[in-house]
Amino acid sequence: MELKRCDWVNTDPLYIAYHDEEWGKPLTDDLKLFELLMLEGMQAGLSWYTVLKKREGFREAFDGCDPEKIVQYGDDKVEELMQNEGIVRNRLKIKGVITNAQVYQQICREEEGGFAGYLWSFVGGKPVVNHWKSRAEVPATTPQSDQMSKALKRKGMKFVGSTICYAFMQASGMVDDHALDCFCRTSGAVQES
C-alpha cells in the first residue's frame, strides 16, 4: 500500500524525504530554526523545491549557516556569494541573511529561551494542529504569522513577511498543516485552530 502524502509533494526523492522527515516536525534548535528561516526568505518569489535543491549549496556558501561567521561578512564575501551558482544569487537576500544573523544574535541575548523560545512564543509554545479539509483552505497567513512578521521586522530582520513566516511555521512544526489523510499528520489535536 502506498503512503498517502500531502498533495503538494512531487515525486522527487529529495522532496519526498523533506516532506516525510522534516516538514511539520517540531524544530526547537536555535541554529536549525535560523537556517530554515533564512531559506524561507531566500525562497521569496521562487518555488520551495528550487530552494530545497540549493540547500546544501547554501549551507556550504554560508559557513554552515553559522550566524557567528555570517555577521563577519563584508562586501568581498557578498561579491563572492553573488558569483556562487549553488545558491540563490540575489544581493538583497544575501545582505538580508547577514542582517538577520545580527538580529538572531540580539534575540539570543535578549529573549528568554533564545531564538527558539522567542519564535515558539507566537504559537504559545506548542504546535497548532489545523484540520483543513483541502489544500485550498490552507491560508497564506494567519494572525500568528502576522504577529511574528511584525515582531521580527521591528527587530530589523529582512525577508520575514507574513507569508514567509507562515511557511516557516509550517515547515518548523509550529503549525501542523499536513493533509488529514497524510501519514505524517499529528495524531490527536494539540491545539486547534
Side-chain angles (χ1 to χ4, degrees):
M1 186 171 114
E2 188 175 328
L3 293 175
K4 292 284 280 182
R5 291 182 173 88
C6 296
D7 62 10
W8 54 263
V9 180
N10 71 25
T11 58
D12 185 298
L14 179 69
Y15 217 44
I16 291 171
Y18 172 71
H19 170 270
D20 293 0
E21 298 164 19
E22 295 181 58
W23 193 79
K25 301 228 184 302
L27 185 59
T28 57
D29 179 275
D30 283 352
L31 293 174
K32 289 180 181 176
L33 286 166
F34 173 73
E35 175 187 318
L36 184 58
L37 186 57
M38 296 311 94
L39 288 171
E40 291 288 354
M42 284 284 176
Q43 187 255 331
L46 304 170
S47 74
W48 179 248
Y49 184 58
T50 297
V51 172
L52 190 59
K53 290 188 297 185
K54 292 182 177 277
R55 179 164 63 172
E56 288 307 317
F58 182 83
R59 285 176 175 154
E60 185 178 316
F62 284 87
D63 292 301
C65 297
D66 182 348
E68 301 297 322
K69 293 179 181 174
I70 294 170
V71 296
Q72 316 255 338
Y73 292 179
D75 292 340
D76 288 347
K77 181 65 174 184
V78 171
E79 291 308 317
E80 175 189 320
L81 291 168
M82 285 296 295
Q83 303 308 311
N84 187 332
E85 294 180 9
I87 66 169
V88 174
R89 295 181 291 171
N90 176 301
R91 189 174 305 278
L92 290 176
K93 290 179 180 181
I94 290 169
K95 287 187 169 191
V97 170
I98 298 167
T99 298
N100 292 351
Q102 295 165 344
V103 176
Y104 166 89
Q105 289 181 320
Q106 173 193 340
I107 290 171
C108 288
R109 282 191 307 270
E110 297 175 357
E111 299 293 338
E112 186 175 331
F115 195 60
Y118 179 70
L119 294 176
W120 275 88
S121 72
F122 293 98
V123 292
K126 58 186 178 184
V128 173
V129 180
N130 291 315
H131 302 280
W132 312 117
K133 291 180 180 65
S134 73
R135 189 79 189 138
E137 291 180 356
V138 180
T141 65
T142 63
Q144 293 95 335
S145 69
D146 292 344
Q147 292 167 358
M148 180 185 283
S149 173
K150 287 176 187 169
L152 290 173
K153 286 178 180 179
R154 272 194 307 272
K155 288 188 177 289
M157 277 203 170
K158 309 291 183 197
F159 293 95
V160 288
S162 188
T163 301
I164 288 171
C165 285
Y166 192 65
F168 167 75
M169 294 168 92
Q170 291 173 306
S172 65
M174 292 175 193
V175 173
D176 183 349
D177 275 348
H178 281 287
L180 294 177
D181 61 351
C182 177
F183 85 97
C184 290
R185 179 149 182 86
T186 300
S187 59
V190 176
Q191 179 180 343
E192 302 212 11
S193 60

Short mmCIF file of all heavy atoms in Angstrom, two decimals, residues 62-74 77 98 101 105:
data_model
loop_
_atom_site.label_atom_id
_atom_site.label_comp_id
_atom_site.label_asym_id
_atom_site.label_seq_id
_atom_site.Cartn_x
_atom_site.Cartn_y
_atom_site.Cartn_z
N PHE A 62 27.38 29.63 3.10
CA PHE A 62 27.17 30.45 4.29
C PHE A 62 27.75 29.81 5.55
O PHE A 62 27.20 29.94 6.64
CB PHE A 62 25.67 30.76 4.47
CG PHE A 62 25.13 31.79 3.53
CD1 PHE A 62 24.66 31.43 2.28
CD2 PHE A 62 25.11 33.13 3.88
CE1 PHE A 62 24.17 32.39 1.40
CE2 PHE A 62 24.61 34.09 3.01
CZ PHE A 62 24.14 33.72 1.76
N ASP A 63 28.87 29.13 5.40
CA ASP A 63 29.60 28.57 6.56
C ASP A 63 28.71 27.78 7.50
O ASP A 63 28.71 28.00 8.72
CB ASP A 63 30.31 29.70 7.33
CG ASP A 63 31.44 30.31 6.52
OD1 ASP A 63 32.37 29.57 6.15
OD2 ASP A 63 31.38 31.53 6.25
N GLY A 64 27.94 26.85 6.94
CA GLY A 64 27.08 26.02 7.76
C GLY A 64 25.93 26.78 8.40
O GLY A 64 25.36 26.33 9.39
N CYS A 65 25.61 27.93 7.84
CA CYS A 65 24.54 28.81 8.37
C CYS A 65 24.83 29.23 9.81
O CYS A 65 23.93 29.36 10.64
CB CYS A 65 23.17 28.15 8.25
SG CYS A 65 22.71 27.85 6.55
N ASP A 66 26.10 29.44 10.09
CA ASP A 66 26.55 29.85 11.43
C ASP A 66 26.47 31.36 11.56
O ASP A 66 27.26 32.09 10.96
CB ASP A 66 27.98 29.37 11.64
CG ASP A 66 28.52 29.69 13.02
OD1 ASP A 66 27.90 30.49 13.75
OD2 ASP A 66 29.58 29.14 13.36
N PRO A 67 25.52 31.87 12.35
CA PRO A 67 25.37 33.33 12.48
C PRO A 67 26.64 34.01 12.97
O PRO A 67 26.91 35.15 12.57
CB PRO A 67 24.24 33.48 13.51
CG PRO A 67 23.51 32.19 13.48
CD PRO A 67 24.52 31.14 13.14
N GLU A 68 27.42 33.34 13.81
CA GLU A 68 28.67 33.92 14.33
C GLU A 68 29.64 34.25 13.19
O GLU A 68 30.37 35.25 13.25
CB GLU A 68 29.35 32.97 15.32
CG GLU A 68 28.50 32.59 16.52
CD GLU A 68 28.15 33.77 17.40
OE1 GLU A 68 29.00 34.66 17.59
OE2 GLU A 68 27.01 33.80 17.91
N LYS A 69 29.64 33.42 12.16
CA LYS A 69 30.50 33.67 11.00
C LYS A 69 29.84 34.63 10.02
O LYS A 69 30.52 35.49 9.45
CB LYS A 69 30.84 32.34 10.31
CG LYS A 69 31.71 31.44 11.17
CD LYS A 69 32.01 30.14 10.48
CE LYS A 69 32.87 29.26 11.40
NZ LYS A 69 33.07 27.92 10.83
N ILE A 70 28.55 34.47 9.83
CA ILE A 70 27.83 35.30 8.84
C ILE A 70 27.89 36.78 9.20
O ILE A 70 28.04 37.62 8.31
CB ILE A 70 26.37 34.81 8.69
CG1 ILE A 70 26.35 33.40 8.08
CG2 ILE A 70 25.56 35.78 7.85
CD1 ILE A 70 25.00 32.72 8.09
N VAL A 71 27.82 37.12 10.49
CA VAL A 71 27.84 38.53 10.87
C VAL A 71 29.17 39.21 10.50
O VAL A 71 29.24 40.44 10.43
CB VAL A 71 27.56 38.76 12.38
CG1 VAL A 71 26.16 38.30 12.73
CG2 VAL A 71 28.60 38.10 13.26
N GLN A 72 30.19 38.43 10.22
CA GLN A 72 31.51 38.97 9.86
C GLN A 72 31.63 39.27 8.36
O GLN A 72 32.62 39.85 7.93
CB GLN A 72 32.60 37.97 10.25
CG GLN A 72 32.41 37.36 11.61
CD GLN A 72 33.35 37.90 12.64
OE1 GLN A 72 34.39 38.42 12.31
NE2 GLN A 72 32.96 37.77 13.88
N TYR A 73 30.64 38.86 7.57
CA TYR A 73 30.73 39.03 6.12
C TYR A 73 30.76 40.51 5.74
O TYR A 73 29.95 41.31 6.23
CB TYR A 73 29.54 38.39 5.40
CG TYR A 73 29.48 36.87 5.45
CD1 TYR A 73 28.43 36.21 4.84
CD2 TYR A 73 30.45 36.10 6.09
CE1 TYR A 73 28.34 34.82 4.86
CE2 TYR A 73 30.37 34.71 6.11
CZ TYR A 73 29.30 34.08 5.50
OH TYR A 73 29.21 32.72 5.51
N GLY A 74 31.67 40.82 4.83
CA GLY A 74 31.75 42.17 4.29
C GLY A 74 31.42 42.16 2.81
O GLY A 74 30.92 41.17 2.26
N LYS A 77 32.82 39.25 0.61
CA LYS A 77 32.08 37.99 0.75
C LYS A 77 30.75 38.06 0.01
O LYS A 77 30.35 37.09 -0.64
CB LYS A 77 31.85 37.67 2.23
CG LYS A 77 31.12 36.36 2.48
CD LYS A 77 31.92 35.15 2.03
CE LYS A 77 31.20 33.87 2.45
NZ LYS A 77 31.95 32.66 2.12
N ILE A 98 22.78 38.37 6.21
CA ILE A 98 23.79 38.95 7.10
C ILE A 98 23.11 39.78 8.19
O ILE A 98 23.43 39.66 9.38
CB ILE A 98 24.80 39.80 6.28
CG1 ILE A 98 25.54 38.91 5.28
CG2 ILE A 98 25.78 40.50 7.21
CD1 ILE A 98 26.33 39.67 4.22
N ALA A 101 21.39 37.54 10.67
CA ALA A 101 22.32 36.89 11.60
C ALA A 101 22.61 37.82 12.79
O ALA A 101 22.72 37.37 13.93
CB ALA A 101 23.61 36.50 10.89
N GLN A 105 21.52 37.09 16.76
CA GLN A 105 22.38 37.21 17.94
C GLN A 105 21.72 38.07 19.02
O GLN A 105 21.77 37.74 20.20
CB GLN A 105 23.74 37.82 17.55
CG GLN A 105 24.60 36.88 16.76
CD GLN A 105 25.95 37.51 16.41
OE1 GLN A 105 26.02 38.69 16.07
NE2 GLN A 105 27.00 36.72 16.50
#
